[in-house]
Amino acid sequence: MIEATTIEAFAELSSNDRKAYILDRTQLEDLWLVGHIKNQFEEKPYFFIDHLINPYTGLPLKAKIFNNSSRPLSIFCRKKTTDKPYEEGTLVAAKFNLTESNSEIVKGNILNTTLDEVYLIEEDSDKIFDLVGMNKEDLGIIALAKPSLYSDRESHFIDVANIIKTKVKIDITNLNLKIKENNHQLLYMERQEKHLELTRQNLNSLQLKLEELGFVFDKQSEVQLDETKESFLDIPENLSELLKGIQTQLSIRGFHYEEKTLRHILLALMTDQMIILSGPSGTGKTTIVKQLASIVNANYEIIPVQPSWTDKQDLLGFYNPIRKLYVPTPFLDCLIEAKENKDQLYIICLDEMNLAQIEYYLADLLSIRELEEGKLRFYSDYEYKQNMNEIKWFVQRMSKEKDSSIEEALKKIQIDSLAHYEMVTRFENLKRYGPFLDIPKNVRIIGTMNVDGAVQALSPKVIDRSFVIPINRQNKEKVNSVSEIGKYNISAEYFTTNITDIPRISNQLREAINEIQQELKKWNIEYNERLEKHILLYYVASKDLSLSTKQQIDDITLIKLLPRLHEMIEDEQLISRLLEVIERHVKDELLSKRKLEKMKLRFEQTGLFSYWS
């Protein structure tokens, strides 16, 4: 928010600057306010609207607008003496303008409107507000600034409660249909289960009769019969053979992925950076995470991101100060489990991560992962000590063995009480969920995001800290057939890349990346040292694959450089020059060129040149 100025200085501003100042100080999105009628007289050609409410936040308008005036804002409304007046205190919405006259502004008459721009908020919508659990004073009338919601494209007031009512009805109808569908499905499953149980009983009866006749059966449990055992395969000597082995194992399981796609994912895993798999729905983004984790014998957790996520508590949990317990999430539990099993690789998949604003729930984790000794902070050390002291006091009060540890004493206290149970629960909770956690080095985070025509581009902060790998519909490449389905028992250390004491990347790769970056600077895209580190990690990880320089350039351009492109442009020559520079360096490698060509085609249709279209 910009600093408050004086009324006199405000009067000297241009019309546009006045509007920008008012919108910023009041935190409005457009010139709309909700308020109450005041001083409404038939004989006077004006009245006021005061007790103003910001319709976009539902909060009273209390911000100090000018630093030399404490007078609250009100709207001056002109009318004809013949107009029927509103009752005093009536709740209305008003579209206002800013006073042009400098002398009126100095007097304090800043906002003005006409009766035609004042809209009554009907009283008969009370039941609807009760239904959605809102008060009229809390209503954020976002629709006021959204002309696209109306057929005439004009921005005017409507009873938003009707929209809410209609949506509630539709949601209830859809919910009832879903419940009915689920009931039918449950009924079908119950019938199938009864049929299966009857079949088992008949088979058991038949087996008993055959045994009486002298037949012998191999006694195996149903669990053993249902399990498909996968043997551990010999770990290939180099990364190139492992890549082929992974592709083969995927293929014989019925999942077909191109070697280039698997190469990008495998190398990105070895950089210990966040990975984002983007692509249309149904291209196997979540499936590749599950199957790859299975083949390399890694533990994995699929966590669906919810649209309601707004901060890190949705991802990491929160401390409940009333119960004095930490409420965890599957994400946090997976981190703790990984810390206890440092040799095992853990893959956490944030499925459909762009359903919520990524920076809201993931910003802390992205930042802390880059620190040498980064720690996730859950609550204060002081709160932890207070909890421990309270538990210790309870133990000393109830136990005769003063020298025992808290854990031993709690086990020995023979008290069948709720207080005892709560103390044991709190102590176990504190042990597992301390005030902070070091992020384990054996954890890899992968996010999936469906890309469609309405998807928003990722922010530069997220892109800078990630490898963005496009997953398109895969061609069924022919792979070597094998007779054995298995998996590789690979430790987490295998997926670690060490860049200390490593010579610099080749001059040819460096020059090519620099030239492409220089071209991208014309799009106002700047890169930092973080990109240099990621390129070096990818370069070192890929050395065992013996990639050519043009393959390395193609990979880095596709998954690190191009994701920053999301621009409305008028100069098509910028696209042509960028395509020319990249083609000169990648030659017959096609991934980045094909991506640019798709982006160019969408640009010709929409005017938006975007990696995310």
Side-chain angles (χ1 to χ4, degrees), residues 66-103:
F66 305 108
N67 58 22
N68 62 341
S69 173
S70 59
R71 175 181 171 182
L73 279 183
S74 61
I75 303 175
F76 177 79
C77 181
R78 298 176 183 84
K79 66 165 187 170
K80 298 175 182 178
T81 54
T82 56
D83 289 332
K84 181 180 179 180
Y86 288 117
E87 292 183 6
E88 189 82 2
T90 301
L91 184 64
V92 295
K95 179 70 179 289
F96 63 90
N97 294 308
L98 301 180
T99 301
E100 293 291 337
S101 170
N102 288 7
S103 60

Side-chain angles (χ1 to χ4, degrees), residues 23-169:
L23 291 180
D24 184 82
R25 291 297 301 172
T26 57
Q27 297 296 293
L28 295 173
E29 295 181 21
D30 199 0
L31 301 180
W32 280 92
L33 283 167
V34 172
H36 298 264
I37 301 295
K38 180 182 179 183
N39 296 337
Q40 170 72 298
F41 302 103
E42 290 188 20
E43 66 275 8
K44 293 185 179 180
Y46 65 87
F47 61 89
F48 292 91
I49 302 172
D50 67 354
H51 294 93
L52 299 176
I53 299 168
N54 184 335
Y56 306 97
T57 64
L59 299 176
L61 204 64
K62 293 182 178 180
K64 188 174 182 180
I65 307 302
F66 305 108
N67 58 22
N68 62 341
S69 173
S70 59
R71 175 181 171 182
L73 279 183
S74 61
I75 303 175
F76 177 79
C77 181
R78 298 176 183 84
K79 66 165 187 170
K80 298 175 182 178
T81 54
T82 56
D83 289 332
K84 181 180 179 180
Y86 288 117
E87 292 183 6
E88 189 82 2
T90 301
L91 184 64
V92 295
K95 179 70 179 289
F96 63 90
N97 294 308
L98 301 180
T99 301
E100 293 291 337
S101 170
N102 288 7
S103 60
E104 287 296 314
I105 291 174
V106 173
K107 291 179 182 178
N109 297 327
I110 312 298
L111 314 180
N112 63 81
T113 187
T114 63
L115 192 61
D116 292 338
E117 294 290 352
V118 177
Y119 302 91
L120 180 66
I121 297 181
E122 298 291 347
E123 294 299 329
D124 59 6
S125 60
D126 286 339
K127 293 182 180 179
I128 302 169
F129 284 98
D130 292 338
L131 180 64
V132 298
M134 296 174 63
N135 296 318
K136 283 187 175 177
E137 289 76 7
D138 300 326
L139 177 61
I141 310 178
I142 305 302
L144 298 177
K146 305 292 183 184
S148 60
L149 294 178
Y150 312 113
S151 58
D152 57 8
R153 310 294 292 179
E154 293 294 329
S155 180
H156 56 82
F157 175 75
I158 62 170
D159 187 359
V160 181
N162 286 329
I163 294 178
I164 297 173
K165 180 180 179 181
T166 303
K167 184 178 183 305
V168 169
K169 284 183 177 180

